[in-house]
Amino acid sequence: MRAIRGLWHWRRNPLCRATDLAEAWVALAALLLILLAAPVVGSLVGGAAQDALQRSVRAQHEARHLVSATVVRKLDRSPLDADPETSSGRDLRTRVLAEWTAPDGTAHQGPVLSSLKDPHQGDAFRIWTDRHGRMVPRPLDSATASTHAVLAGFGAALAAGGLIEGGRRLIVWRMVRRRYAHWDRAWGKAGPDWGRTGAGS
């Protein structure tokens, strides 16, 4: 709004320099680009991220399977986690030796982290595996993917706005330097005669 008021104020002012008007036009152009181009960039980046992430969600849900595992026996805590003072939310899971059947029908056995508070032999719990029974992380869910896409779009819009503002500042800085150089040249021409007016020499 300052740019628009500045243009209106300076449009017929006899003190208005060409550079003042140019600076006001640059500010107005930057404002319009920030208001129009930055949201478009954010929307395009967010849409592209949403498509890519949702494809990844579908691929992960096709490749990863939730299978039932059975506790064989409880395992000792890892030596690295011996200090109870350093426990975190992740440490609430218990290490057990479990067995499970993969989606392809093969039997597997190995140490896994169980969400059971007090696991006993024969207790069942669910784990994520690939088609061959190898343990894999939980697949990304659709809501989390959408949140990441929104954040990517918002970040792209902010980056675009920052680039536009940086470009505006660079242009204005160059204009000011050119103005100062012009003043220096004008001062250099007037400098030798400074103070001689009316001296009769």
Side-chain angles (χ1 to χ4, degrees), residues 15-76:
L15 298 177
C16 176
R17 299 169 297 198
T19 54
D20 294 327
L21 200 55
E23 283 180 31
W25 278 112
V26 167
L28 179 61
L31 176 67
L32 291 176
L33 281 173
I34 288 172
L35 292 177
L36 300 175
V40 169
V41 168
S43 176
L44 291 173
V45 170
Q50 173 75 348
D51 291 343
L53 287 170
Q54 291 302 333
R55 278 196 304 274
S56 179
V57 166
R58 287 190 294 275
Q60 287 183 14
H61 278 278
E62 288 172 9
R64 300 177 188 187
H65 305 277
L66 194 58
V67 300
S68 180
T70 306
V71 175
V72 175
R73 65 183 167 85
K74 185 175 178 179
L75 296 175
D76 294 332

Side-chain angles (χ1 to χ4, degrees), residues 31-185:
L31 176 67
L32 291 176
L33 281 173
I34 288 172
L35 292 177
L36 300 175
V40 169
V41 168
S43 176
L44 291 173
V45 170
Q50 173 75 348
D51 291 343
L53 287 170
Q54 291 302 333
R55 278 196 304 274
S56 179
V57 166
R58 287 190 294 275
Q60 287 183 14
H61 278 278
E62 288 172 9
R64 300 177 188 187
H65 305 277
L66 194 58
V67 300
S68 180
T70 306
V71 175
V72 175
R73 65 183 167 85
K74 185 175 178 179
L75 296 175
D76 294 332
R77 288 176 61 91
S78 167
L80 298 175
D81 295 334
D83 185 7
E85 297 291 326
T86 61
S87 63
S88 64
R90 186 178 62 86
D91 298 329
L92 297 176
R93 299 170 69 108
T94 309
R95 286 181 74 237
V96 297
L97 181 66
E99 55 187 13
W100 64 93
T101 302
D104 65 1
T106 57
H108 294 268
Q109 188 178 79
V112 297
L113 287 173
S114 160
S115 57
L116 299 170
K117 290 182 181 178
D118 188 23
H120 297 288
Q121 184 177 6
D123 288 349
F125 61 98
R126 311 277 272 172
I127 59 171
W128 287 97
T129 70
D130 64 9
R131 190 165 50 95
H132 303 292
R134 290 185 294 264
M135 290 192 59
V136 292
R138 178 189 187 96
L140 184 67
D141 63 273
S142 184
T144 304
S146 295
T147 302
H148 288 304
V150 168
L151 290 174
F154 188 67
L158 284 178
L163 276 173
I164 292 167
E165 175 61 14
R168 182 197 71 82
R169 287 176 180 258
L170 180 63
I171 291 168
V172 170
W173 175 76
R174 288 182 62 88
M175 291 169 69
V176 168
R177 290 208 28 143
R178 190 175 300 150
R179 182 189 309 152
Y180 287 163
H182 178 70
W183 287 352
D184 285 342
R185 284 193 301 272

